Amino acid sequence: MSNMTKSNVAVSATYEINLKTGTITGTPNHFITLVKPPIDANGDSWLETLVKIDFKDFTTVKFIVDCGGTPSGWMVNIGDSVSNDGYGGDAGTQSNDAEMQIVKGGMAVFGNDYNKPAGAQIVQGNVPNLVGKDSRLELEISNKNLAWNNNKGLQNSLNSPYLYSLARQADATGQVNSSIYASFNRVIRDRADRLGSGVSKVTILIDPIEYSITPNKVAITEGNSGTTPVTFTIARSGAISRASSVDYTIGGTATNSSNYHNIEGISGATGATNTAGTIDFAPGELSKTITVSVLGDSFFEPDETIAVALSNPVAPFSYAISTAVATTTIENDDAFTIAVNSNVFYAIAVIGLAFMIFSIAKLRSGIS
């Protein structure tokens, strides 16, 4: 996700809050403000917190919400307004006051005051049983857009003119803003009657880029001659409008030059050797490929593997590798044979026959 080299990567905008221990990983910056540090306001052993995300130099924020307990009460509340407190209410602070909430594991989304009627629920965002105990929910928010994925089959997105206003839109009753507030185990506005439990950890990623790698063939027959190409595709998702890079290494039990070679091409690679290098993505690019050529032979040998691994992603903000290793198995197709030299075999047979005649002669003569 970055046009920067590894030596000048921007400060990490990854921020993690543990709502069981109160531990915070990462430091507040001009994107993320810790408005309410983690506290246990109701003595239930679950901490509550509130953060503000300012969309100054980026377009997307991703929340990874880990639920370590049974969903109860107000688990998540994300809104335009510092006064949002659930069900589309914000005490009249501003007109751009869209919000989403997760209560007892179910999600609901409410539009801003320009919706008809004002603050009404957007039914497409109504998702019962979105989260449960020991589940992980991913939420992505950008201007007018909300996407969710509970990694258990509930995945969708919602785009609406009545959703979050994050591009400095005018506001009829409040100041122009480009920020959202996100609270966990509570609502955004201080309300002692709207607390909850179940969210154990929250990870915040700014303009995240995620990498993955897949082979076009999980297994390939070696062949007796020539070459057979195998292609590994490195894909990225998220903030693809930014340049970025990721390193790769080629390993496995197969040996470069004797079992395969990779001169067929590595798109976007810099500093590449035979088995390692860096894949560079230009803004807008979605994928790159590494192609290796499997060398055919007529020798019996065990099945072997080619494994391509990703590491060291570079991005201006946040990054992750969802699938780090892709493997293809080279399947042996040569029979196991034993070569016999006919001259050697004949000599062994003659010696054996002579020994047998000598033994019979001994028995007949009674020689011991």
Side-chain angles (χ1 to χ4, degrees):
M1 303 172 201
S2 163
N3 53 5
M4 298 177 291
T5 64
K6 293 178 180 59
S7 60
N8 64 352
V9 178
V11 61
S12 172
T14 301
Y15 195 75
E16 181 181 286
I17 306 172
N18 189 309
L19 295 177
K20 293 300 290 182
T21 66
T23 302
I24 297 175
T25 303
T27 57
N29 48 60
H30 63 284
F31 307 115
I32 303 172
T33 302
L34 185 63
V35 180
K36 298 285 185 178
I39 61 168
D40 185 3
N42 58 353
D44 64 354
S45 80
W46 294 90
L47 306 181
E48 307 89 32
T49 194
L50 170 64
V51 297
K52 179 183 179 182
I53 311 296
D54 196 337
F55 285 70
K56 288 180 178 178
D57 303 308
F58 64 93
T59 60
T60 303
V61 62
K62 181 174 184 177
F63 298 96
I64 301 175
V65 183
D66 288 305
C67 300
T70 302
S72 176
W74 292 79
M75 302 176 68
V76 180
N77 187 201
I78 302 176
D80 279 310
S81 172
V82 70
S83 300
N84 280 135
D85 60 0
Y87 300 113
D90 85 325
T93 302
Q94 63 185 68
S95 298
N96 290 319
D97 58 354
E99 67 177 320
M100 66 83 71
Q101 64 192 44
I102 298 178
V103 181
K104 297 180 180 179
M107 183 175 77
V109 179
F110 297 85
N112 58 33
D113 288 352
Y114 301 103
N115 195 7
K116 303 297 182 184
Q121 185 173 357
I122 302 175
V123 296
Q124 296 92 329
N126 184 26
V127 186
N129 304 313
L130 182 61
V131 296
K133 184 179 180 181
D134 299 324
S135 67
R136 166 169 282 191
L137 174 66
E138 298 177 10
L139 299 168
E140 284 197 5
I141 293 174
S142 56
N143 186 53
K144 304 302 182 184
N145 193 75
L146 166 67
W148 59 91
N149 181 5
N150 72 349
N151 295 288
K152 292 184 178 180
L154 292 178
Q155 179 179 2
N156 211 334
S157 63
L158 175 61
N159 184 274
S160 169
Y162 308 116
L163 260 179
Y164 302 111
S165 300
L166 302 173
R168 301 192 62 79
Q169 292 93 331
D171 191 292
T173 56
Q175 63 181 357
V176 172
N177 71 79
S178 56
S179 60
I180 58 169
Y181 295 84
S183 61
F184 302 93
N185 293 333
R186 56 166 286 166
V187 292
I188 294 169
R189 185 162 68 96
D190 287 333
R191 285 190 56 164
D193 62 333
R194 289 189 177 177
L195 302 176
S197 63
V199 177
S200 56
K201 185 174 69 174
V202 180
T203 304
I204 305 172
L205 305 174
I206 300 298
D207 259 3
I209 293 178
E210 190 169 287
Y211 299 92
S212 64
I213 183 168
T214 55
N216 70 327
K217 301 172 184 176
V218 296
I220 185 173
T221 302
E222 178 183 56
N224 292 327
S225 62
T227 62
T228 304
V230 176
T231 298
F232 297 84
T233 299
I234 299 96
R236 66 174 190 157
S237 59
I240 62 168
S241 61
R242 299 180 182 275
S244 67
S245 68
V246 64
D247 290 349
Y248 73 91
T249 55
I250 304 176
T253 60
T255 303
N256 189 24
S257 297
S258 60
N259 300 120
Y260 70 91
H261 58 72
N262 61 330
I263 61 172
E264 294 296 323
I266 303 173
S267 64
T270 58
T273 66
N274 284 334
T275 56
T278 299
I279 300 293
D280 294 315
F281 289 87
E285 288 187 315
L286 291 170
S287 64
K288 298 284 189 176
T289 58
I290 296 173
T291 301
V292 301
S293 293
V294 175
L295 305 176
D297 62 45
S298 57
F299 303 107
F300 175 84
E301 54 194 335
D303 291 348
E304 295 166 308
T305 59
I306 302 173
V308 182
L310 302 181
S311 63
N312 195 27
V314 176
F317 295 109
S318 307
Y319 47 79
I321 298 177
S322 60
T323 305
V325 181
T327 302
T328 292
T329 299
I330 304 173
E331 297 178 336
N332 174 71
D333 60 350
D334 301 305
F336 179 76
T337 59
I338 299 177
V340 177
N341 187 303
S342 60
N343 293 329
V344 173
F345 180 80
Y346 177 76
I348 293 173
V350 171
I351 294 170
L353 179 60
F355 179 77
M356 183 176 66
I357 293 171
F358 176 74
S359 298
I360 293 172
K362 285 175 62 180
L363 291 172
R364 287 181 175 177
S365 62
I367 299 173
S368 57

